[in-house]
Amino acid sequence: MLRSLWEQPVDEDTPALVTLAQGEKEKLGPEYGRHDVLLEQIPHWMFTFTNSGSDLLARSLAMITARPDCLQRVQAEIDAASSLDQAASIHKLRYLEACLLETGRLYPPVSQTSHRASDNDEFEDKQIAAGSEILQVFSLNTRDQSQNPDANHFRPERWLDADDPVHQRYPNLFLSGARACPGKELILFVNTAA
């Protein structure tokens, strides 16, 4: 079933999630060659969503509704959107998505990850041997006030400015580089729609 949805042509009657998946396929391009890997990961994303994704949604709703100005701005954005059963309308809810990203920065839905160093490396004059286990704890950099004085404040608007340093400072909200979360767009889309 997933494969048939993945290969289905998109038209105005295509469900929003299929349109989103097709957009991801277009971004990957024909040279990517890992479509089968992505298809195999989709069920994993659905299981993961019941923990990290739903945590992000619940926390975001709490953050938005606890702030009257934020709630009013979200409601105005939703009211201005056209039919919310279309993927294009969901993608227009930029402030709402920024609220999700900011909540994820303050309360990372995945708190840590680990990996092995592939090569010998150096960090802050310390040698890291190839094969070393590296534990990455996200809250250590998402709340670092020495790097960002307002790191503990909920400011979703920072995500709306492409030049804001938040994009360079917190690339690991969904990981980055070779370890980037392939489900990022799906998680943000589903949470924004919800």
Side-chain angles (χ1 to χ4, degrees):
M1 167 113 178
L2 288 173
R3 182 169 306 284
S4 66
L5 288 173
W6 181 262
E7 294 171 354
Q8 173 181 329
V10 175
D11 61 27
E12 64 274 354
D13 296 323
T14 302
L17 282 176
V18 175
T19 303
L20 178 69
Q22 289 290 344
E24 289 303 300
K25 184 169 78 172
E26 293 301 316
K27 281 192 233 175
L28 295 173
E31 73 284 350
Y32 189 74
R34 288 183 51 200
H35 296 170
D36 287 336
V37 172
L38 284 174
L39 286 173
E40 291 168 12
Q41 288 181 358
I42 290 173
H44 169 73
W45 301 341
M46 295 301 104
F47 287 112
T48 299
F49 191 82
T50 60
N51 293 317
S52 57
S54 58
D55 287 351
L56 177 61
L57 176 59
R59 286 184 178 124
S60 296
L61 289 171
M63 297 298 280
I64 292 167
T65 58
R67 293 162 174 76
D69 291 346
C70 180
L71 178 59
Q72 184 177 19
R73 186 167 174 181
V74 167
Q75 287 173 327
E77 187 177 63
I78 290 170
D79 291 344
S82 55
S83 176
L84 293 178
D85 63 349
Q86 298 297 315
S89 298
I90 302 299
H91 285 300
K92 290 178 186 174
L93 303 175
R94 304 305 300 157
Y95 182 74
L96 182 52
E97 182 179 280
C99 290
L100 289 164
L101 290 167
E102 184 68 351
T103 300
R105 183 189 68 77
L106 289 168
Y107 304 99
V110 175
S111 59
Q112 61 190 18
T113 186
S114 62
H115 61 279
R116 290 184 190 273
S118 58
D119 298 316
N120 291 328
D121 204 351
E122 184 178 315
F123 179 74
E124 294 183 353
D125 298 324
K126 305 248 189 279
Q127 295 298 316
I128 301 171
S132 296
E133 286 285 331
I134 298 172
L135 177 65
Q136 185 175 15
V137 180
F138 298 129
S139 59
L140 294 178
N141 76 337
T142 62
R143 296 285 190 112
D144 184 356
Q145 290 183 297
S146 69
Q147 297 295 313
N148 179 8
D150 73 346
N152 288 323
H153 296 104
F154 183 75
R155 287 193 41 247
E157 58 278 356
R158 71 176 94 218
W159 293 95
L160 299 173
D161 179 2
D163 296 327
D164 192 295
V166 71
H167 300 282
Q168 289 77 40
R169 206 177 275 145
Y170 307 113
N172 286 322
L173 188 55
F174 287 93
L175 297 176
S176 58
R179 300 179 69 234
C181 173
K184 173 185 176 181
E185 299 300 324
L186 180 63
I187 291 166
L188 289 175
F189 177 83
V190 170
N191 274 316
T192 301

